[in-house]
């Protein structure tokens, strides 16, 4: 079992990642700004106050961890632009203080930069609202930054085109740069099965130094 430091545990995806990690018997330290917003009690869970944008706080929270997972989100478009890439930069700076002993970094990514069947990217789809484009490009910029990092073991997991709370089936497909589309013509995954895929990667890393994606 792994020792996991988790950012974003109160969010839609992060809460499912927390549930899945505890379900599997991992030890989790959830780093939050306000512990009162995470009213979860479990023998394997420790809730601490920290700031993902402060490298020193990251380094302190990551002591003893095998893996640091970031599921932080910024709410609206401007919020994502202000948080996603800066948080990745802070996480990397904090983990670099550990040198060769740094924990692995697994981050929740976005679907916007995935390739569509016509060879374009999801964010090139006509008619997307501006706030969604801002969110997509915030994740894309963060991924571009991660791809410059060669001294840490990192993984970025992009969801399907649609991700929403639903059923935990434990079944999913993975890909790399192409948007995965099901037999019904849809690209989707539940947050529960996204968490399954993320924890599978935590337990058996297959995508070190790269982005991969998951869908039904």
């Amino acid at each position: 079992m792994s020792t996991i430091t988790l950012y974003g545990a109160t969010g839609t995806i992060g809460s499912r990642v927390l549930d899945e990690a505890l379900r599997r018997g991992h030890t989790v330290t959830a780093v939050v700004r306000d512990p009162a917003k995470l009213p979860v009690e479990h023998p394997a869970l420790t809730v601490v106050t920290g700031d993902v944008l402060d490298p020193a706080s990251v380094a302190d929270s990551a002591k003893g961890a095998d893996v640091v997972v970031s599921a932080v989100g910024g709410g609206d478009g401007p919020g994502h632009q202000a948080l996603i890439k800066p948080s990745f930069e802070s996480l990397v700076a904090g983990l670099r203080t550990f040198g060769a002993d740094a924990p692995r970094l697994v981050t929740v990514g976005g679907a916007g930069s995935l390739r569509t069947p016509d060879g374009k990217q999801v964010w090139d789809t006509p008619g997307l609202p501006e706030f969604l484009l801002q969110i997509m490009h915030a994740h894309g910029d963060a991924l571009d930054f991660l791809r410059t990092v060669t001294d840490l073991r990192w993984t970025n997991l992009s969801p399907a085109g649609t991700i929403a709370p639903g059923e935990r089936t434990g079944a999913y497909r993975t890909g790399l740069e192409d948007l995965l589309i099901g037999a019904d013509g849809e690209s989707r995954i539940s947050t529960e099965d996204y968490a399954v895929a993320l924890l599978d990667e935590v337990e058996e890393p297959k995508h070190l130094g790269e982005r991969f994606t998951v869908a039904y």
Side-chain angles (χ1 to χ4, degrees):
M1 294 296 101
S2 296
T3 299
I4 300 169
T5 294
L6 172 63
Y7 287 88
T10 60
T12 302
I13 294 177
S15 61
R16 271 70 174 185
V17 171
L18 175 60
D19 290 345
E20 185 68 23
L22 294 175
R23 174 187 184 132
R24 298 187 186 207
H26 297 293
T27 299
V28 181
T29 296
V31 186
V32 296
R33 287 173 292 182
D34 181 3
K37 293 184 177 180
L38 187 61
V40 178
E41 294 186 3
H42 191 282
L45 172 65
T46 302
V47 181
V48 301
T49 303
D51 183 0
V52 73
L53 296 177
D54 179 359
S57 178
V58 169
D60 185 59
S61 300
K63 289 177 181 176
D66 301 307
V67 184
V68 172
V69 176
S70 176
V72 298
D76 59 10
H80 275 78
Q81 291 182 326
L83 180 63
I84 304 301
K85 183 181 178 183
S87 70
F88 282 27
E89 292 171 335
S90 176
L91 287 161
V92 167
L95 294 182
R96 277 177 169 155
T97 64
F98 293 93
D101 296 324
R104 282 190 289 129
L105 175 62
V106 179
T107 56
V108 171
S113 59
L114 292 169
R115 281 194 302 257
T116 54
D118 61 5
K120 297 181 179 180
Q121 289 172 289
V122 173
W123 57 41
D124 295 321
T125 303
L128 293 175
E130 180 60 26
F131 83 90
L132 185 56
L133 288 170
Q134 290 175 333
I135 292 173
M136 288 179 173
H137 283 285
H139 280 291
D141 291 344
L143 177 59
D144 286 344
F145 164 71
L146 272 185
R147 285 174 165 158
T148 71
V149 177
T150 58
D151 56 331
L152 294 175
R153 296 169 298 160
W154 61 266
T155 301
N156 182 261
L157 175 54
S158 288
T162 298
I163 179 170
E167 183 183 358
R168 182 192 186 279
T169 70
Y172 60 87
R173 296 180 297 138
T174 62
L176 294 176
E177 296 302 312
D178 294 312
L179 183 72
L180 295 175
I181 300 173
D184 60 358
E186 300 294 324
S187 176
R188 59 185 181 84
I189 191 76
S190 70
T191 47
E192 288 77 5
D193 281 333
Y194 177 94
V196 170
L198 190 146
L199 265 297
D200 285 349
E201 178 68 21
V202 165
E203 294 177 353
E204 296 186 23
K206 298 178 180 178
H207 300 282
L208 294 177
E210 67 182 12
R211 179 261 294 273
F212 75 110
T213 186
V214 58
Y216 293 129

